[in-house]
Amino acid sequence: MSEIQVSICCLVYNQEKYLRKCLDGLLMQKTNFAFEILIHDDASTDSSADIIREYEKKYPNIIKPIYQTENQFSKGIKISLVHQFPRSQGKYIAFCEGDDYWCDENKLQLQYDEMEKNENAVFCAHDVGTVSEDGVLLEDTFPKKKIEKMISSQRMLSVMEENNMYPFQTSSYFVVAKYLKNLYRNMPKFMQVSNVGDVPLMLYLLTKGDVIYINKKMSYYRVGSVQGWNTLFRDSNSKRILQIKNGIASYCLYDVYTEGEYTDTIKSIILQDWFNLLLLVRDYRQINNKIFIKSLDIKKDKC
């Protein structure tokens, strides 16, 4: 049990209301291997840091926090890549943000066992339920559409498109650590231009190997939580517009990065993002003009 096999990365910012449930779900895991919990508190202004210190005192060999004095997110720093992944000791990295939580005590062991049995797999995910800000169970789940257990890297991008680019929710991620530890130093351009981390991370990983999906609900995503990423962007139209524009640029660069292997699927994804962008800026004339669809071209010189 002395050698750490899994590093759990937990990002926290002003999540005092949910944090204990999150940490309890991580600590209840029953495994035949050692794991660590890497917590990054991004200069919270509520009692989140105090809660983390309380747990750190109880579990000093498991809880390994960073307490920032200046908010890193506001500086545009990709926190996981810069502060979390490089210090991980495990063979695998699992994810859970401070407002989400794990509900199955065997989650880590099940994912670990599946990955150990499949040497071509680089990523494992499972069903995720949703709860309201106050913890009421909701009907939405991830993934929204049925997915096969083993997904080849060639098939994965289509699966992402079928599920609006978010087939899996972050609290289900279980990844081979070697692909993430030094990613910040060698980050592809398509990852650098994106505002969000989940989609470019998935795009990057599918160039490395296959994906395993476990059809079992083992965590919950909290919808509309205070300081939640989706909430922050939903409340700002300008930020949402920037997010879509950067996303389109990211897909263009990804097409270059993969030497056109997924061009047809990427065109389809960009077309949908373009349509959403036109809706946000209320360019209904352009939406009704079918010429813009035919003009979609993501050749290298347009990236």
Side-chain angles (χ1 to χ4, degrees), residues 194-205:
S194 178
N195 290 98
V196 296
D198 288 27
V199 172
L201 179 62
M202 288 289 296
L203 292 175
Y204 170 73
L205 289 171

Side-chain angles (χ1 to χ4, degrees), residues 38-260:
L38 308 179
I39 304 178
H40 180 280
D41 180 76
D42 201 15
S44 293
T45 57
D46 64 2
S47 63
S48 293
D50 293 333
I51 294 172
I52 296 169
R53 289 188 179 93
E54 175 189 327
Y55 277 78
E56 179 188 13
K57 186 176 181 179
K58 290 181 180 178
Y59 307 96
N61 296 323
I62 300 177
I63 303 287
K64 302 174 182 179
I66 291 176
Y67 302 102
Q68 295 289 356
T69 57
E70 295 183 32
N71 186 269
Q72 303 294 291
F73 177 79
S74 63
K75 296 181 177 181
I77 294 174
K78 297 182 184 295
I79 295 171
S80 292
L81 274 68
V82 175
H83 296 293
Q84 294 283 75
F85 299 159
R87 67 186 181 119
S88 64
Q89 299 183 60
K91 179 179 179 181
Y92 301 102
I93 293 177
F95 296 69
C96 190
E97 298 185 358
D99 51 352
D100 301 329
Y101 63 93
W102 295 352
C103 60
D104 191 312
E105 63 185 11
N106 298 307
K107 168 193 153 67
L108 279 189
Q109 188 68 58
L110 287 171
Q111 292 189 286
Y112 177 85
D113 291 343
E114 286 290 343
M115 293 291 280
E116 288 290 288
K117 290 186 296 185
N118 296 278
E119 61 180 18
N120 292 328
V122 299
F123 183 93
C124 179
H126 56 73
D127 281 350
V128 178
T130 58
V131 296
S132 69
E133 192 269 338
D134 292 323
V136 178
L137 296 181
L138 303 175
E139 293 183 0
D140 287 343
T141 59
F142 297 87
K144 298 185 182 301
K145 295 186 178 181
K146 189 175 181 180
I147 296 177
E148 56 267 33
K149 179 177 179 178
M150 291 297 302
I151 312 169
S152 68
S153 56
Q154 290 76 18
R155 162 85 175 122
M156 189 61 213
L157 188 57
S158 295
V159 169
M160 292 173 69
E161 182 189 13
E162 292 163 6
N163 284 269
N164 297 320
M165 300 311 294
Y166 288 97
F168 311 118
Q169 200 277 328
T170 312
S171 61
S172 73
Y173 289 9
F174 191 95
V175 182
V176 175
K178 69 179 181 180
Y179 296 115
L180 303 183
K181 284 185 67 70
N182 297 309
L183 183 56
Y184 182 70
R185 297 177 181 175
N186 304 288
M187 196 190 315
K189 289 183 179 179
F190 75 87
M191 298 188 74
Q192 296 177 31
V193 302
S194 178
N195 290 98
V196 296
D198 288 27
V199 172
L201 179 62
M202 288 289 296
L203 292 175
Y204 170 73
L205 289 171
L206 70 85
T207 67
K208 304 300 180 183
D210 300 334
V211 175
I212 299 174
Y213 161 62
I214 300 175
N215 185 14
K216 185 178 183 181
K217 190 180 297 181
M218 295 191 284
S219 66
Y220 279 91
Y221 164 65
R222 196 175 301 275
V223 179
S225 64
V226 177
Q227 301 299 334
W229 173 265
N230 288 331
T231 302
L232 293 174
F233 267 87
R234 185 182 64 237
D235 294 340
S236 173
N237 197 55
S238 61
K239 288 182 179 179
R240 177 63 179 152
I241 290 172
L242 178 61
Q243 180 188 11
I244 294 177
K245 286 183 176 179
N246 288 348
I248 291 173
S250 178
Y251 294 132
C252 283
L253 291 168
Y254 185 69
D255 190 56
V256 176
Y257 182 76
T258 55
E259 299 181 340

